[in-house]
Amino acid sequence: MIVVHHLENSRSQRVLWLLEELGLPYAVKRYERNKATMLAPPELRRVHPLGKSPVIEDDSAGSSGGALVVAETGAIVEYLVEKADGRLGMPAHRRNALHYRHFLHYAEGSLMPPLLVKLVLGRVPLLGKTAQKKIQPMIDVHLDYVEAHLTAHDWFAGDAMTAADIMMSFPLEAARSRAGLDASRPHTIAWLDRIHARPAYRAALAAGGAYAYA
């Protein structure tokens, strides 16, 4: 059984969604953020030394030493796709395969950092809001890039949804919530509406509990 250590309003919602899409059995252990700091609780360090979410335990893949522990969203996504015999994984077409690799890593490597910086600056008294205004143009470059791609493609890596779309969901949901993604980028909004309508996405919301970005 796969156990997902799931932190509220976090990247781990993508892991629940992927598991639902793949039809892999799993259980959820929920954690709440510290209301003062918004950080993960210390209990997560008992699962992985970094104390971050998402992290999964797979007792069907572990050795005699116990369950296999996998951390980092991208690594978890690749692990689960492989476990499901490649479903939602890399497309066969070379260009689509390149898009798959790119967006699988772009989500956390390029798009998420400025969104996180803006969130942190928003909690800094006085100068935080001023500094946020300097970050927004950087975010807009990314949002325009995504919009251009989705203007020409229904999905991020080919004609069907893949794990690359699942990786891209959280930063774009966060951008819609707090970083200027709105109807001025209609193809990105339409993509968000499509993923939110999927039965597996709705099932993942039911499994994970309240999620501020849906």
Side-chain angles (χ1 to χ4, degrees):
M1 172 69 74
I2 296 168
V3 176
V4 182
H5 295 271
H6 171 63
L7 180 65
E8 62 177 339
N9 296 328
S10 78
R11 293 163 166 87
S12 60
Q13 187 64 40
R14 289 179 293 192
V15 176
L16 302 181
W17 177 25
L18 177 59
L19 285 163
E20 289 288 346
E21 292 282 0
L22 295 175
L24 295 175
Y26 69 95
V28 180
K29 184 171 176 56
R30 298 181 186 176
Y31 299 81
E32 294 185 359
R33 294 179 182 274
N34 181 294
K35 300 307 178 187
T37 65
M38 297 305 294
L39 297 176
E43 290 88 339
L44 270 168
R45 289 198 181 95
R46 299 172 191 164
V47 185
H48 190 276
L50 292 178
K52 302 289 186 179
S53 176
V55 59
I56 66 169
E57 292 181 281
D58 186 356
D59 60 13
S60 68
S63 64
S64 57
L68 179 66
V69 177
V70 186
E72 293 294 335
T73 313
I76 293 170
V77 166
E78 290 189 291
Y79 173 80
L80 293 175
V81 166
E82 182 180 0
K83 189 178 180 72
D85 298 322
R87 279 183 290 134
L88 297 185
M90 187 180 297
H93 189 279
R94 185 175 183 183
R95 184 175 296 275
N96 292 339
L98 180 59
H99 285 156
Y100 177 87
R101 286 194 188 97
H102 172 72
F103 286 108
L104 196 73
H105 297 284
Y106 168 81
E108 288 293 324
S110 294
L111 180 54
M112 197 63 209
L115 292 169
L116 183 59
V117 170
K118 182 171 184 179
L119 174 64
V120 172
L121 289 174
R123 294 175 181 162
V124 177
L126 300 178
L127 296 178
K129 290 186 177 180
T130 301
Q132 273 187 317
K133 293 178 181 178
K134 296 183 178 181
I135 296 295
Q136 187 60 48
M138 298 170 57
I139 296 172
D140 288 338
V141 169
H142 288 288
L143 295 181
D144 288 342
Y145 171 66
V146 168
E147 177 69 11
H149 183 82
L150 291 175
T151 299
H153 306 85
D154 287 338
W155 302 99
F156 279 101
D159 298 328
M161 195 193 81
T162 67
D165 294 278
I166 289 174
M167 281 297 295
M168 287 293 292
S169 63
F170 183 75
L172 291 177
E173 287 170 334
R176 189 179 194 179
S177 174
R178 61 174 184 256
L181 176 55
D182 56 24
S184 65
R185 297 180 176 94
H187 293 88
T188 307
I189 296 299
W191 176 86
L192 281 170
D193 291 343
R194 276 201 305 280
I195 67 170
H196 291 166
R198 293 181 70 87
Y201 187 97
R202 296 197 298 269
L205 288 179
Y211 180 59
Y213 305 116

